[in-house]
Amino acid sequence: MIQTKLIDSDLVAWTIQQRRHFHMHPELSGQEFKTAAYVKEKLTGFGIPIDSRFSAPNVVAFFKGSEGNKTIALRADMDALPLHEEGDNKPYISTVPGVMHGCGHDGHTATLLAAAKWMSENPHLVKNNIVLIFQSSEEASPSGAQQLVKEGVLDGVDAIYGIHYLSGMPLGKIGFATGYAMASSDDFDITIEGTGGHGGYPHQTVDPIYIATHLIQAFQSVVSRSLNPLHAGVISFGGMQAGNSYNVIPEKVTLQGTIRAMSFDGAELMHKKTAQLTESLCASFGAKGHYHFIEGTPPLYNHPEACAVAKDIIVKSFGEDVFLEKDPVMGAEDFSYYLKEKTGAFINVGMQSEKSQYPHHHPKFDIDEAAIPAGIELMIQLALNA
């Protein structure tokens, strides 16, 4: 277990208690009103004022530092997933059927609350102003981060940091990828309108299934022949709906898929190329192709200057051997909206162990609470030293 300097066992126990409360009472994206009310109650009890300018169920609070020359934002996400939790041996299993904290947001919320509690008890040590962001809707669209940015949550902020407890990273390690760290995540719907008919007379039809096979193949050329080979990208089809008869060529086919890119330019190019291919390829076969782009989250870019500060804090707080430089991943995270506007970094706190052996978004996922002390200490050190 990582050794901590600023926090004691009482704060750790309190944080675990809060985390288990959130775990037992999960709420889906955009519906975190009871969670928000609980967070507000705790912050008010700490004497930290709530900023009422921001849309519910988001909760934003402002801690005034003793000097206030810099303003640091710290973010935690509050939403749960539409999963039915498995694991009867948990004393804190979800009490809401079909909803569970399967990604660690209960831990993030409890950790940021713990940092707020510590700051309220040690105000003389906190020189920076701190914006505490308890965000709704990380797991769903529209993004809670995007909404808060539009509402001005980063106005006056010098840098922003967030953490994520990670089951795929060893317990006892803390780290991140510098630069592009996570991919964009956008979706698309495609409808191909052809001319249906008898399976024995295909020459009298415009077969949308046959056209769809060409379109699926052609989309892969965007990654292999249009995208810069040094910029990672993925296009995956996840759904296809067509006819339901052996010998009837349907009139219409619908496709669904996702686009992931590891750069802003790559995401824009892939969107443009897939739209063009849909229209032109379908037209070449005499069909109509309708492309609907569903904007998701941009790539997550960890600013090198903020990463240098974060690494220095991690090494000085926990030791050189704790820091782990990570590779970028094609997963997505709406913290990217904050980093698109302000300098900052998104940091992973490892918790891979027997207790946290299942991946995120798995019905048996759980946080190894042995990682929580490091998460609290990291949040506090970022508040003090970022």
Side-chain angles (χ1 to χ4, degrees), residues 230-241:
L230 299 178
H231 297 169
V234 170
I235 300 175
S236 294
F237 285 85
M240 180 175 180
Q241 294 79 40

Side-chain angles (χ1 to χ4, degrees), residues 11 14-15 39 42-48 61-63 74 109-123 126 130-134 376 379-380 383:
L11 182 59
W14 182 89
T15 309
V39 168
K42 295 297 181 185
L43 292 172
T44 301
F46 303 154
I48 301 175
F62 185 82
F63 184 92
L74 302 174
T109 302
T111 297
L112 187 54
L113 267 185
K117 185 175 189 294
W118 185 93
M119 288 187 285
S120 72
E121 295 169 352
N122 300 274
V126 188
I130 308 297
V131 178
L132 302 161
I133 303 172
F134 295 86
I376 304 169
M379 276 288 197
I380 295 170

Side-chain angles (χ1 to χ4, degrees), residues 73-94:
L74 302 174
R75 175 269 212 168
D77 35 18
M78 300 189 295
D79 52 334
L81 291 162
L83 287 174
H84 186 78
E85 185 167 17
E86 299 176 8
D88 295 335
N89 59 334
K90 295 179 187 175
Y92 47 87
I93 197 165
S94 171

Side-chain angles (χ1 to χ4, degrees), residues 257-271:
T258 188
I259 297 173
R260 305 275 171 132
M262 197 57 80
S263 69
F264 293 103
D265 290 343
E268 183 178 353
L269 179 143
M270 293 168 77
H271 171 203

Side-chain angles (χ1 to χ4, degrees), residues 22-350:
F22 293 130
H23 194 90
M24 292 175 69
H25 305 283
E27 295 176 292
L28 294 173
S29 302
Q31 302 174 24
E32 310 97 319
F33 293 100
K34 292 180 180 178
T35 302
Y38 188 91
V39 168
K40 286 181 179 179
E41 179 186 343
K42 295 297 181 185
L43 292 172
T44 301
F46 303 154
I48 301 175
I50 309 296
D51 192 332
S52 60
R53 295 176 297 165
F54 301 99
S55 58
N58 297 292
V59 180
V60 179
F62 185 82
F63 184 92
K64 186 171 178 58
S66 60
E67 295 182 4
N69 295 325
K70 296 289 184 182
T71 299
I72 307 300
L74 302 174
R75 175 269 212 168
D77 35 18
M78 300 189 295
D79 52 334
L81 291 162
L83 287 174
H84 186 78
E85 185 167 17
E86 299 176 8
D88 295 335
N89 59 334
K90 295 179 187 175
Y92 47 87
I93 197 165
S94 171
T95 60
V96 184
V99 183
M100 72 166 288
H101 273 291
C103 201
H105 297 186
D106 50 339
H108 305 160
T109 302
T111 297
L112 187 54
L113 267 185
K117 185 175 189 294
W118 185 93
M119 288 187 285
S120 72
E121 295 169 352
N122 300 274
H124 58 290
L125 297 178
V126 188
K127 297 179 180 179
N128 295 322
N129 296 326
I130 308 297
V131 178
L132 302 161
I133 303 172
F134 295 86
Q135 181 206 307
S136 167
S137 300
E138 190 279 324
E139 297 285 2
S141 184
S143 156
Q146 184 182 30
Q147 180 65 31
L148 284 172
V149 168
K150 288 179 180 178
E151 293 174 3
V153 74
L154 296 180
D155 292 351
V157 168
D158 294 291
I160 181 167
Y161 293 88
I163 72 166
H164 201 301
Y165 291 111
L166 194 62
S167 66
M169 183 175 176
L171 181 67
K173 296 292 184 180
I174 301 174
F176 45 78
T178 302
Y180 286 108
M182 300 183 75
S184 62
S185 177
D186 303 306
D187 297 328
F188 59 82
D189 290 314
I190 294 172
T191 301
I192 302 172
E193 290 187 29
T195 303
H198 196 293
Y201 304 91
H203 60 292
Q204 298 175 355
T205 74
V206 177
D207 186 349
I209 294 179
Y210 178 71
I211 297 168
T213 66
H214 283 268
L215 194 62
I216 291 170
Q217 292 294 323
F219 269 29
Q220 300 313 312
S221 72
V222 176
V223 175
S224 65
R225 289 296 177 267
S226 296
L227 187 67
N228 185 330
L230 299 178
H231 297 169
V234 170
I235 300 175
S236 294
F237 285 85
M240 180 175 180
Q241 294 79 40
N244 56 8
S245 176
Y246 290 105
N247 66 342
V248 176
I249 293 173
E251 187 174 82
K252 182 170 66 176
V253 168
T254 59
L255 302 168
Q256 297 85 38
T258 188
I259 297 173
R260 305 275 171 132
M262 197 57 80
S263 69
F264 293 103
D265 290 343
E268 183 178 353
L269 179 143
M270 293 168 77
H271 171 203
K272 180 180 178 181
K273 288 289 187 180
T274 50
Q276 289 174 343
L277 274 173
T278 300
E279 182 178 354
S280 61
L281 192 146
C282 290
S284 71
F285 284 99
K288 292 182 179 180
H290 305 282
Y291 182 93
H292 174 57
F293 182 74
I294 305 166
E295 184 179 3
T297 57
L300 189 148
Y301 183 79
N302 274 337
H303 297 260
E305 58 271 39
C307 289
V309 171
K311 181 179 179 180
D312 187 60
I313 289 172
I314 292 166
V315 170
K316 288 180 177 177
S317 301
F318 307 111
E320 188 85 38
D321 60 330
V322 170
F323 179 76
L324 179 65
E325 185 71 43
K326 287 180 55 40
D327 292 327
V329 297
M330 298 306 290
E333 159 64 61
D334 78 349
F335 195 82
S336 57
Y337 281 108
Y338 301 119
L339 296 178
K340 193 176 179 182
E341 303 296 325
K342 292 287 182 176
T343 297
F346 192 60
I347 304 168
N348 295 298
V349 178

